[in-house]
Amino acid sequence: MVTVKASLLELTKLLPHFVDIEETLENEVEARYVLKRAADHFEKLQLDSSKEMEEDEEEVSYLVQALVDKNWERIHSGHFSCVSLTIRKIYALGCYFKIFFLLLEKSSLEQHEQCSTILDEAQLLGCTDNLYVKCNELQAALMKYLDVDAPKMSPTPLPVLDAVQRRVSRCDIPQLDAPSIIEFRASCYDALQPTLLLNTINHWPALRKWRDLNYLLKVAGNRTVPIEIGSNYASDEWSQQLVKIRDFLYRQFGEGNQTVNLDIEYLAQHELFAQIPALRADICVPDYCSVSADNTSTVDIKAWLGPKNTISPMHTDPKHNLLCQVFGSKRIILAAPKDTENLYAHETEFLGNTSQIDAANLDFESFPLLRRVQFYELLLQPGDCLYLPPKWWHYVRSDTPSFSVSFWFE
Amino acid sequence: MSVDQTTAEQQPQVAGRPPSPACARRCATAVGTPSDERRKMRQFLFTGFNAFGQHNSNNTVGRTSGRVTALTEIHVPGNENDNNIIIAISWRYTVYAKGIKIWLIGLLDSMPGECLELEAPMAIKALAACDTHCLVLLQNGELYKLPVKLDAKLQQIKLETPPNPPATATKRTIFGTAKASNGVSTVITHIACGSHINVAISAGNTVYSIPSCLHQFPQLQWRLKQLECGQEHALLLNANGDVYTWGNGLRGQLGQETLGVEETPQLVDALAGIKITHIAAGGWHSAAISAFGDLYTWGLNSNGQLGMRVMKPDGLLKEPTVYPLPQLHDLSACCGTSDDDVDLCAPVKVFAGSRHTVLVRSCGRLWASGWSAHGQLGIQVNSQYLDAFQAIYDECRDSEYSVICGPWSTLLVLSK
């Protein structure tokens, strides 16, 4: 057997010992057995990376693979929100060991790609918070080790998107130019009044950096994210999958793809900035989010990146929302909570917050109560920020390739 | 060479010690022993996940691999000349029952190959197994739960009394259990379980979400034929050919148009006019075969278990992974070459594991679709799954056999 690469062996020192994770595993019999075998294997490997380890490696590697697969199944049972944290932690730990076994087996570009997908899945499906002392260090070191060759996967440059020229457009809601927090609280938050805020995010580095898609490719290309396929999440054709950002960018924004008949894919409602610190550094949480006296609640930051014609059908959200536009423009149609009875919400468990109507093509014959609804239209352009109170109905369609960042707060 | 049967039965109920080779020889019949011709020889062929030593622990020849990738003969506990061993396969253990004896073999507390052997108060009628426990149904209708631990004991389950108008004199069955006042039995006849669902059904068509009464079907209207459970859903088939489903249907496994949870059994409307003859429940999917020999599958298709394509033709993105409504299959020809012969090989029985589906066609050939990463299909597959049904095993065609699917395995029980 080839001696284990020194850099890889060095990384194994960041893996947990069984004592570090024993308590987390509670009474999970299979996790205790398999993760102890795995942790012990790597402890021994550091002392002696000789031939005898090979047979054990094959057996333990298979056990780890099985543990990961089993916990994938447990995560996919019932509602994701009800899955126990222990199961998600076991999944993440299993993924770490699985990555190392894969790297021991082979060191090709494809293997590194597969490993970096597994690393992302550990975070997306599993739980990587405070797993054990050196966990964050391992995560960062592995990401760096695996990303080393990533640029080779992106030989063709992506376009730098043209800046969208600002234009005067219809705006059916009040506009405020860089209001103070006090003014925001009075006119928007307490009044529960949707408002278009101008010149509030001009300082964001994102506004000048993100239009160059090669920058996004560089800092985020190797990451795996959930994307939505199909333009309307309420339709039967809609589905969600995990894909690499790099592949998503090439398919949706690459030159020459416009002629190909591709499905629309939308990176929607994803906590991208928790996953990629470099991008988090390009934006700032607006001061308006801390307007409420009770400042203990967290702000959910979500990314919305997609080509022209992505659609979010008319729906409501339970929290206050600041929707900030980084590049591209979005057409938005609003309706007030008082019109909820006239907006034909779906009756199912999952789509109860979504209207059945197509807000851009009102069908008064099929939905006669729509005649009673007051709709508000506006165009969200780069640098703009839309404040939406809770329970306000909103429909969003991108007019161009677009990147928005939303802040949900209480 | 005689088998010392009496010694074997006087063996103390050892919990925790893996069966030693000496014990194994006493328990198993040596090959070549003349057998009573009236009793059929059973052969057990297994393929799939075995990393916890749950199968073939009697094997004195060598270690059985953690992942068996082709149908391979295995040995089961007890005297193999006896008929009627009952087997239920869970992920980290397998439970076997014969007469009043029960064996739990696998990773029970801390090591693979652990074995718990115990006896029930009377003969066992059926077993069901899930991650945390087994359900044991005795011939007299008594129901027990057995946790998956080395020191486990059978715990009797007292089911809720079904709401029935009280009679002045309670009729009783020959086993002493109460009959409902109109004479229909409360004796449990069918059990099934998954990690999030436990079901029992009585002869009087009372459905229990153990231990509570869940639903009472109009009595005497039909006879129950089959009860199956996936991870979190249940299917039942009655002699009229109707299929009812209930439980968690977030992955389309209930066969209803909208995805959600059904608390009580609901008729699968999409199959309402069709007489179904056999059903199966996989982890998050379901399958049914009609009297016409048509195969329907629905639910999750993450690994091709429905026999539907996983990737779009361009190979970059996946097709929808959830099919809420039953999909009718156009199975390819099996044995014959001319068009007439296609009908001769109609699917007759269907079985399902966590993410794979196994089909028995009338000619006896075994077909399958779905996940193969753990050897559950018994054939070599490049992409770790099949997303269209294909033939996987021919050699059982001349035998009578039944199929048992574990979450990640397939077991054939042949009668020779």
Side-chain angles (χ1 to χ4, degrees), chain A residues 14-152:
Chain A
L14 296 173
L15 283 167
H17 297 280
F18 187 64
V19 294
D20 301 326
I21 54 176
E22 188 167 5
E23 216 180 291
T24 309
L25 303 181
E26 296 182 337
N27 291 324
E28 298 290 335
V29 176
E30 58 257 20
R32 294 179 70 91
Y33 174 69
V34 174
L35 293 178
K36 176 145 204 315
R37 292 283 310 263
D40 290 350
H41 180 89
F42 283 99
E43 265 180 63
K44 270 190 257 163
L45 193 70
Q46 284 158 29
L47 302 169
D48 155 36
S49 43
S50 74
K51 241 184 178 164
E52 274 118 49
M53 300 298 292
E54 245 177 271
E55 202 191 282
D56 193 51
E57 183 179 310
E58 200 187 314
E59 189 195 341
V60 183
S61 170
Y62 181 60
L63 285 171
V64 166
Q65 174 67 63
L67 186 72
V68 169
D69 286 344
K70 174 62 173 167
N71 282 281
W72 184 95
E73 294 191 344
R74 294 176 80 185
I75 288 171
H76 284 79
S77 298
H79 238 288
F80 184 71
S81 54
C82 301
V83 176
S84 93
L85 212 54
T86 305
I87 292 174
R88 293 175 58 201
K89 287 182 178 180
I90 292 171
Y91 182 79
L93 287 166
C95 284
Y96 289 153
F97 284 108
K98 178 173 169 181
I99 288 170
F100 277 90
F101 278 115
L102 285 173
L103 293 174
L104 282 176
E105 186 194 327
K106 197 158 45 162
S107 192
S108 64
L109 189 60
E110 287 78 33
Q111 201 78 334
H112 281 215
E113 279 293 284
Q114 194 192 353
C115 288
S116 85
T117 304
I118 296 168
L119 190 59
D120 283 319
E121 281 176 4
Q123 201 175 30
L124 291 170
L125 292 180
C127 172
T128 52
D129 297 332
N130 301 319
L131 275 179
Y132 62 99
V133 174
K134 291 196 191 144
C135 171
N136 289 342
E137 227 187 296
L138 175 69
Q139 185 99 2
L142 262 180
M143 212 173 271
K144 196 162 156 213
Y145 182 92
L146 296 170
D147 282 357
V148 142
D149 284 324
K152 292 186 192 149

Side-chain angles (χ1 to χ4, degrees), chain B residues 262-286:
Chain B
E262 290 292 348
E263 302 285 354
T264 53
Q266 302 296 320
L267 186 66
V268 177
D269 289 320
L271 299 175
I274 305 168
K275 184 169 160 79
I276 299 297
T277 52
H278 203 250
I279 56 169
W284 300 269
H285 71 290
S286 307

Side-chain angles (χ1 to χ4, degrees), chain A residues 109-304:
Chain A
L109 189 60
E110 287 78 33
Q111 201 78 334
H112 281 215
E113 279 293 284
Q114 194 192 353
C115 288
S116 85
T117 304
I118 296 168
L119 190 59
D120 283 319
E121 281 176 4
Q123 201 175 30
L124 291 170
L125 292 180
C127 172
T128 52
D129 297 332
N130 301 319
L131 275 179
Y132 62 99
V133 174
K134 291 196 191 144
C135 171
N136 289 342
E137 227 187 296
L138 175 69
Q139 185 99 2
L142 262 180
M143 212 173 271
K144 196 162 156 213
Y145 182 92
L146 296 170
D147 282 357
V148 142
D149 284 324
K152 292 186 192 149
M153 301 288 289
S154 323
T156 330
L158 282 170
V160 177
L161 297 173
D162 295 326
V164 165
Q165 293 277 42
R166 189 170 191 84
R167 65 184 188 85
V168 173
S169 170
R170 169 179 176 178
C171 183
D172 295 341
I173 59 175
Q175 297 183 53
L176 286 177
D177 192 335
S180 66
I181 292 199
I182 296 175
E183 196 182 348
F184 173 79
R185 180 190 287 129
S187 310
C188 312
Y189 187 84
D190 288 344
L192 293 176
Q193 171 61 54
T195 312
L196 185 61
L197 307 174
L198 307 173
N199 298 312
T200 54
I201 57 170
N202 294 344
H203 53 291
W204 279 15
L207 288 179
R208 50 180 175 78
K209 288 166 84 172
W210 291 4
R211 270 190 299 113
D212 180 357
L213 299 177
N214 298 296
Y215 168 72
L216 294 181
L217 193 60
K218 189 174 80 132
V219 302
N222 212 26
R223 300 276 64 79
T224 300
V225 290
I227 58 147
E228 301 181 355
I229 301 172
S231 51
N232 183 336
Y233 75 72
S235 93
D236 288 334
E237 298 292 298
W238 183 84
S239 67
Q240 226 185 2
Q241 326 186 348
L242 294 178
V243 304
K244 278 230 185 310
I245 289 185
R246 165 193 321 120
D247 294 331
F248 164 71
L249 290 175
Y250 273 112
R251 278 197 299 267
Q252 296 299 314
F253 304 99
E255 248 121 42
N257 280 346
Q258 280 68 32
T259 47
V260 180
N261 192 18
L262 286 177
D263 281 306
I264 288 191
E265 294 165 66
Y266 193 12
L267 173 51
Q269 202 172 315
H270 178 58
E271 296 197 1
L272 190 67
F273 308 100
Q275 205 180 358
I276 304 170
L279 289 180
R280 175 70 181 84
D282 289 340
I283 60 171
C284 312
V285 178
D287 292 335
Y288 306 121
C289 295
S290 53
V291 69
S292 88
D294 165 20
N295 214 348
T296 52
S297 46
T298 50
V299 179
D300 302 324
I301 313 176
K302 315 255 183 196
W304 307 78

